[in-house]
Amino acid sequence: MHPETLVRDHTVYACVMGSRAFGLATQGSDTDRRGVFLAPTALFWRFEKPPTHIEGPAEEQFSWELERFCELALRANPNILECLHSPLVEHIDDTGRELIGLRGAFLSRQTHTTFARYAVGQRKKLQADVRNHGAPRWKHAMHLLRLLMSVRDLLRTGELVLDVGEQREPLLAVKRGEVPWPRVESWMNRLAEEAERAADRSPLPAEPDRRRVEDFLVRVRRASALQPYPYDEVVQGVVPGGGVGQR
């Protein structure tokens, strides 16, 4: 099955991410689209397995196969968890609604470790830009601040909210380069410290509910296996008697 066909015919959930989902869009902002597709179970019976992710077919579009998406979400991958909480949903079917209904099962105090690790990596890149070019990439600095706010509030409340609300203008000022880098660094330090304190008394569980997510995935795979699929006709045509295992 062609990758574009998987995205076109088997997407269970699709949303808009990036600045538009964060409440930080400006006139020139791109529209970043992310999605989850469910590869038919019959495709996994072949030697060549379906892709775990697909880029495109549209510009700024990226999709994950459901199992890969769940694996990354269980590891508290920031980009994946945020997809589950986008306020801008473009497509959702029954399987997608079940996935969204499970989004709390992916959240745990492990988000502090993964978000913080990601933030450290991004901050090192910004600091390298300052050393090499005299200034960071201000757009990236803005998004790092947003991420630190997000994980702090998640650890405090147990809920992941993407829209920055009243912080829109202060963050856009950073994007425009209107805030000196030392002040931005100080802001980052404060947010990281607040997240650290929030992690100690967070209402989130210590670990995600892996069993609940796995039960969902197995049930969805089983239901897909019971659906008619064109590959079955190929099997019927090459196996005498129309059945598998009769020779």
Side-chain angles (χ1 to χ4, degrees):
M1 183 175 290
H2 196 277
E4 289 189 9
T5 304
L6 285 171
V7 173
R8 185 192 67 214
D9 296 343
H10 298 281
T11 291
V12 301
Y13 173 70
C15 66
V16 173
M17 286 300 301
S19 294
R20 298 191 184 279
F22 303 140
L24 290 168
T26 57
Q27 187 174 1
S29 294
D30 294 329
T31 300
D32 300 321
R33 289 183 165 88
R34 300 292 180 263
V36 182
F37 64 91
L38 173 63
T41 301
L43 291 181
F44 291 91
W45 300 337
R46 303 179 178 185
F47 287 121
E48 185 178 353
K49 307 303 179 186
T52 59
H53 59 270
I54 296 170
E55 187 170 354
E59 291 186 11
E60 307 298 335
Q61 182 180 12
F62 194 95
S63 301
W64 295 268
E65 205 285 321
L66 179 63
E67 182 174 342
R68 177 59 173 167
F69 185 88
C70 289
E71 287 177 346
L72 292 172
L74 286 168
R75 297 177 194 170
N77 179 290
N79 293 323
I80 300 294
L81 290 180
E82 289 184 336
C83 281
L84 286 170
H85 294 79
S86 173
L88 304 176
V89 176
E90 293 192 316
H91 170 80
I92 191 166
D93 65 6
D94 289 343
T95 301
R97 277 184 279 273
E98 284 196 68
L99 177 63
I100 293 302
L102 278 172
R103 59 189 181 183
F106 295 105
L107 297 177
S108 71
R109 291 196 295 275
Q110 290 180 5
T111 56
H112 179 240
T113 301
T114 55
F115 277 55
R117 185 187 305 125
Y118 179 81
V120 168
Q122 294 302 305
R123 188 165 175 178
K124 287 180 178 179
K125 293 179 182 179
L126 293 171
Q127 291 169 334
D129 287 338
V130 173
R131 289 194 302 271
N132 298 329
H133 307 292
R137 288 168 290 180
W138 292 111
K139 180 180 178 179
H140 292 194
M142 175 192 72
H143 281 297
L144 179 51
L145 286 166
R146 182 209 60 80
L147 181 77
L148 289 167
M149 291 177 188
S150 179
V151 69
R152 178 201 61 188
D153 295 342
L154 168 61
L155 291 165
R156 285 176 173 176
T157 67
E159 296 183 4
L160 183 57
V161 178
L162 301 195
D163 194 288
V164 299
E166 63 184 15
Q167 293 299 319
R168 172 181 164 84
E169 289 308 318
L171 287 170
L172 288 178
V174 171
K175 180 182 179 182
R176 293 190 296 264
E178 297 172 357
V179 183
W181 174 243
R183 281 181 55 193
V184 173
E185 276 203 303
S186 177
W187 193 358
M188 290 177 179
N189 290 337
R190 185 174 72 253
L191 289 170
E193 292 168 1
E194 290 172 352
E196 183 79 32
R197 290 195 296 271
D200 293 335
R201 50 182 180 273
S202 175
L204 291 172
E207 297 180 352
D209 193 342
R210 186 179 183 87
R211 176 64 179 273
R212 186 179 167 201
V213 176
E214 188 171 54
D215 287 348
F216 158 71
L217 182 62
V218 169
R219 180 164 41 79
V220 168
R221 287 272 192 251
R222 182 180 294 118
S224 173
L226 296 175
Q227 296 296 315
Y229 183 66
Y231 183 57
D232 296 338
E233 298 177 4
V234 178
V235 175
Q236 297 288 335
V238 299
V239 178
V244 178
Q246 295 186 19
R247 294 184 67 179

